[in-house]
Amino acid sequence: MTEVLELEGSDPAAAGGNRAADVLEAGGVVVFPNMPFEIADAERKFLDPAILSESKNVSLEPISGALGGTRLGGDDAHALGSMVKRFADRAESLLAHLTPTYTGALQRRRTSFRPGAVADRALSRRKDDRRLHIDAFPSNPVQGRRILRVFSNVNPDGCSRLWDVGEEDFESFARRFEPRLHMPHGGGWLLQKLGLTKGRRTKYDQAMLDLHDLAKLDDRYQERAPKRRLAFPAGAMWVVYTDSVLHAALAGQHAFEQTFLLPIEAMKDEARAPVRILERITGRALI
Ligand code: SIN
Ligand code: FE
């Protein structure tokens, strides 16, 4: 069973100590149904998907400050970047209250703003996030670190964002597909040298990319996997480890997402990290 911990109001301290970290590490979702991320009147125009270039979202890189995915320039691009940055800061302060023991260890990564409707995306099965999957990054290896994501639904018309989440825990999911993992011997250094990855793609990264693809490409699995429908209302924020919780975004429009990486040593219980679970299943060191 996927636990969904609903927290009331806008005070994340209501989470009560560090309970949220436990729920998250156990594969649960923490939801604040009523925690709107405020968009100023002058920013409303950015909700129009016409601001996008070819990509499906606007992205902000925390280190370089580079803003991508938009065809806006000049003052508009600057104002859009400020809005996205404000969400990144908001997500970080939310986690500072919600998961205090992670503070200092969390590494801020890309922020994304998704003005387009989920159902509008016509994509290959592998790229289709409407199919149940775990997250893995092809060009940004995490080398064992967790992927913790904070989402916000900012839909101006009151539409919920609909997800399915898998009821199966990461371990049973991984055991199901483990016989089909190919687990290369080395090769990660070559991708890095060729500039195809930022940093070395470890065996763990490869295994997670394989699991992502195996799940998405398996029609039978997509039909039969036990899952639960979640509706995140407009004005909600939610937090989830998307590297271990199977998820599919089915419908909705206008969302923000902030990615953090967490070294597994900072978890309350490192044994629950996907890398440790996969190492137990395969009997091999993966990072
Ligand atoms: C995803 O991470 O699969 C997409 C989530 C979303 O856009 O709601
Ligand atoms: Fe995903």
Side-chain angles (χ1 to χ4, degrees):
M1 269 299 280
T2 306
E3 183 176 354
V4 178
L5 174 62
E6 279 207 10
L7 297 173
E8 280 310 315
S10 54
D11 180 10
N18 207 29
R19 167 141 180 259
D22 262 327
V23 171
L24 293 168
E25 290 185 15
V29 184
V30 176
V31 187
F32 295 90
N34 182 25
M35 191 180 278
F37 174 67
E38 303 296 346
I39 297 196
D41 286 341
E43 294 168 337
R44 298 245 158 239
K45 60 185 181 194
F46 300 141
L47 295 175
D48 185 342
I51 66 154
L52 292 169
S53 54
E54 258 84 275
S55 65
K56 64 180 183 185
N57 47 52
V58 173
S59 61
L60 179 68
E61 293 295 341
I63 296 162
S64 64
L67 186 72
T70 180
R71 42 173 214 79
L72 299 179
D75 289 349
D76 276 342
H78 186 78
L80 173 64
S82 308
M83 177 180 80
V84 178
K85 167 78 163 52
R86 198 170 72 245
F87 179 74
D89 293 340
R90 182 78 192 77
E92 191 165 301
S93 69
L94 177 77
L95 291 186
H97 289 95
L98 188 67
T99 54
T101 59
Y102 292 172
T103 307
L106 283 171
Q107 301 164 5
R108 192 193 282 198
R109 289 297 184 266
R110 185 175 296 174
T111 316
S112 103
F113 170 51
R114 308 172 179 187
V118 167
D120 278 359
R121 304 175 191 157
L123 296 158
S124 68
R125 286 188 302 172
R126 183 177 282 126
K127 288 200 173 150
D128 191 349
D129 287 340
R130 292 171 297 186
R131 299 172 77 82
L132 217 51
H133 66 283
I134 47 135
D135 288 343
F137 304 143
S139 50
N140 291 286
V142 297
Q143 301 168 336
R145 288 168 291 181
R146 303 302 313 273
I147 302 174
L148 185 61
R149 289 184 145 172
V150 178
F151 294 86
S152 172
N153 179 1
V154 294
N155 187 277
D157 307 313
C159 299
S160 295
R161 199 166 188 88
L162 288 188
W163 277 26
D164 274 343
V165 291
E167 288 285 27
E168 188 174 48
D169 65 20
F170 181 82
E171 174 147 4
S172 12
F173 163 69
R175 283 190 190 281
R176 177 189 301 279
F177 288 106
E178 189 265 339
R180 287 151 70 190
L181 291 177
H182 69 266
M183 292 288 183
H185 293 273
W189 62 272
L190 183 59
L191 292 171
Q192 181 179 6
K193 210 167 151 91
L194 294 172
L196 296 175
T197 59
K198 296 190 191 80
R200 190 175 54 88
R201 184 185 287 176
T202 63
K203 293 190 181 74
Y204 170 69
D205 289 292
Q206 187 59 54
M208 293 297 276
L209 288 166
D210 288 350
L211 287 174
H212 167 278
D213 290 358
L214 287 166
K216 273 192 181 168
L217 298 178
D218 188 328
D219 292 335
R220 250 174 80 94
Y221 180 71
Q222 292 293 326
E223 269 164 40
R224 300 192 186 179
K227 51 188 168 245
R228 165 173 184 185
R229 180 72 41 92
L230 298 180
F232 302 108
M237 285 184 83
W238 62 103
V239 185
V240 57
Y241 274 115
T242 56
D243 54 359
S244 62
V245 176
L246 284 149
H247 60 283
L250 303 179
Q253 185 172 4
H254 303 110
F256 284 90
E257 175 269 318
Q258 175 62 49
T259 297
F260 295 91
L261 298 184
L262 184 78
I264 58 175
E265 302 76 35
M267 293 175 67
K268 294 189 84 178
D269 182 5
E270 175 180 328
R272 299 192 284 199
V275 64
R276 294 297 178 233
I277 294 171
L278 284 170
E279 286 181 334
R280 278 199 300 280
I281 295 176
T282 60
R284 299 174 57 172
L286 300 177
I287 44 176

